[in-house]
Amino acid sequence: MRPILAIVGRPNVGKSTLFNRIAGGRKAIVWDEPGVTRDRNYADVERDEGSFTLIDTGGFEPVSNDRIFVQMREQCQLAMDEADAILL
């Protein structure tokens, strides 16, 4: 089974850009506006050092009650629960 690495952080700080760079392609949408990535996005990554599954998340906004940000926070929590390691 592949180890799982989740990328988690505040919205619109470059998580999807980093995800694309590590995954080796444009697998995640990148836009200069918070809330574009809402669900988890997965990529299997192959490197000389080994392979792993990478998870992109929409962002973790701890104090917002906005419905979209609450759902994004829930998706982040699911990714963190599933991950073997978390990149903050």
Side-chain angles (χ1 to χ4, degrees), residues 15-79:
K15 292 178 305 302
S16 293
T17 299
L18 179 61
F19 176 85
N20 283 340
R21 179 71 64 137
I22 294 170
R26 293 188 51 118
K27 299 176 185 279
I29 297 170
V30 177
W31 194 258
D32 193 24
E33 183 176 318
V36 172
T37 304
R38 296 179 184 176
D39 294 323
R40 291 166 287 160
N41 193 5
Y42 292 79
D44 288 329
V45 178
E46 304 288 335
R47 298 278 189 237
D48 290 336
E49 302 82 22
S51 61
F52 59 95
T53 299
L54 186 64
I55 307 175
D56 182 25
T57 62
F60 189 85
E61 187 62 58
V63 294
S64 178
N65 290 325
D66 182 276
R67 182 175 177 218
I68 294 296
F69 287 113
V70 168
Q71 291 173 340
M72 288 167 49
R73 184 170 55 234
E74 291 170 355
Q75 290 295 317
C76 284
Q77 187 61 56
L78 290 170

